Amino acid sequence: MSTIMRTLRNIRKIGIRDYLHQMQYIGDTKAGTYIATDRYGNKYYENQADELPLRTRWVDYRQSEYSPCQIEPGWHAWMSYMVDKPPSEDALLKTGQRTWEIPTHRPNLTASRAAYKPYST
């Protein structure tokens, strides 16, 4: 949760429209540097100066019905602080570089109608 001063500072930086969007989807106000957009339309941000440790990176999902499995593996490594450079800058994290990789990211379908069932009923 934000303090009142931090919230007011972020409203001044990002504007009312983005403030309302963040409160609806993130539940917190954040202002930072836009890093990149992945091929699914998710936007990634970073703010090293004003945020708490380990809360400096965040994603703005393209869809309103979002799930963390919609993040590609390279972006997940960056979001989890496993690597310092985002996949847009690091050649090792870019998808499609290896022959054994599947061409598109498959989300985790557990607890959905499309989940794998080892039996037929």
Side-chain angles (χ1 to χ4, degrees):
M1 212 43 210
S2 297
T3 62
I4 292 173
M5 293 305 293
R6 180 173 170 266
T7 301
L8 293 174
R9 182 180 67 234
N10 288 339
I11 289 172
R12 191 172 65 237
K13 287 181 182 177
I14 63 174
I16 295 291
R17 181 173 169 262
D18 285 336
Y19 164 74
L20 294 173
H21 174 78
Q22 287 181 1
M23 288 305 290
Q24 182 172 1
Y25 293 110
I26 300 175
D28 193 9
T29 59
K30 292 181 174 279
T33 307
Y34 171 76
I35 301 298
T37 301
D38 66 5
R39 61 181 158 172
Y40 299 111
N42 301 326
K43 298 177 185 176
Y44 297 89
Y45 296 92
E46 184 173 32
N47 184 353
Q48 297 288 350
D50 299 333
E51 295 294 328
L52 295 171
L54 298 179
R55 294 187 63 193
T56 59
R57 298 174 181 171
W58 67 94
V59 59
D60 185 12
Y61 293 97
R62 183 181 61 111
Q63 300 174 352
S64 60
E65 298 279 333
Y66 61 87
S67 170
C69 69
Q70 295 172 346
I71 297 178
E72 294 178 352
W75 284 106
H76 177 266
W78 181 75
M79 292 283 296
S80 302
Y81 300 94
M82 293 181 209
V83 295
D84 292 330
K85 292 182 182 178
S88 59
E89 298 174 9
D90 194 355
L92 289 175
L93 295 177
K94 289 186 180 176
T95 54
Q97 300 293 320
R98 297 162 194 89
T99 57
W100 49 266
E101 280 183 322
I102 57 175
T104 59
H105 170 66
R106 287 185 299 187
N108 185 356
L109 300 173
T110 304
S112 70
R113 292 185 62 114
Y116 172 74
K117 296 176 187 68
Y119 54 87
S120 60
T121 56

